[in-house]
Amino acid sequence: MMRRPISLSIAVTVALMGFAARAQSPALPTPKVEEVMVKVALLTLNDANLTGNYDVLYAKMARPFRERYSSGTLKQAFRTFAGHHIDAIAGMPIVATEDPEINDNGALLLRGYFDTTPSRLSYELDYAVSEGEWKLITIDVKVRSIQTEASATDLIARAAADVAGGSAKK
């Protein structure tokens, strides 16, 4: 008679361990959450570019990025965007060029663009779980003329941290 409750408790323990393991591995975002993540990142970048203050964007970056780089690094990486508005994307849907995926390093990869004219804003955003939530480790943004392959007015910038990188600030 004692065996039945013990078996049940073992089954419950095993089920709870499986639940805990699933809870620790992050899930892919829904399409709506993906859109929010992309827009929050890019609109925060827009605010930084317009004000010259990259502290808020820096605070939203993952700990490995913040341990390796300073907010000045972001300002330098996006200097070509200084004073340029990219806020037209706020009311536009994202156009994903790849399905969201979690790579072998555990990074969430979001790729796509906004169907803007006369230039197209494309993005590659990589997130890592940091401080209990998805936070940016790479932000790669391009604004390119859609009439030509490339032009002198193209804006291209990238800021990235190696998740396993060192701790020296640059």
Side-chain angles (χ1 to χ4, degrees):
M1 209 156 150
M2 237 6 195
R3 288 186 182 200
R4 195 168 193 104
I6 292 172
S7 302
L8 182 59
S9 69
I10 291 171
V12 169
T13 302
V14 170
L16 288 175
M17 287 185 340
F19 175 76
R22 283 191 302 278
Q24 289 174 349
S25 59
L28 288 172
T30 64
K32 194 65 166 167
V33 170
E34 176 186 1
E35 183 170 351
V36 168
M37 290 173 73
V38 168
K39 287 183 177 181
V40 165
L42 296 180
L43 291 173
T44 303
L45 173 62
N46 179 70
D47 291 345
N49 290 330
L50 294 178
T51 65
N53 182 345
Y54 288 77
D55 291 342
V56 174
L57 180 60
Y58 179 76
K60 290 185 175 187
M61 300 298 286
R63 181 173 283 145
F65 185 95
R66 295 190 323 265
E67 289 173 347
R68 191 167 185 178
Y69 302 106
S70 69
S71 63
T73 304
L74 286 170
K75 187 172 187 173
Q76 183 65 24
F78 290 99
R79 69 186 175 281
T80 58
F81 280 81
H84 292 278
H85 288 265
I86 60 170
D87 56 354
I89 59 141
M92 303 182 81
I94 63 171
V95 178
T97 55
E98 299 175 22
D99 290 335
E101 81 172 86
I102 298 173
N103 70 11
D104 293 339
N105 294 329
L108 170 64
L109 311 178
L110 303 180
R111 308 287 188 258
Y113 66 91
F114 288 87
D115 201 9
T116 54
T117 56
S119 299
R120 174 173 288 164
L121 185 146
S122 61
Y123 60 86
E124 293 184 6
L125 304 173
D126 298 354
Y127 293 81
V129 174
S130 179
E131 299 149 282
E133 61 184 283
W134 286 119
K135 289 192 175 190
L136 284 165
I137 53 170
T138 302
I139 180 168
D140 189 348
V141 178
K142 296 175 180 69
V143 178
R144 288 200 161 148
S145 171
I146 56 175
Q147 287 126 358
T148 63
E149 278 294 309
S151 74
T153 60
D154 286 351
L155 300 174
I156 301 171
R158 176 179 171 84
D162 177 0
V163 177
S167 61
K169 289 216 179 208
K170 296 186 178 181

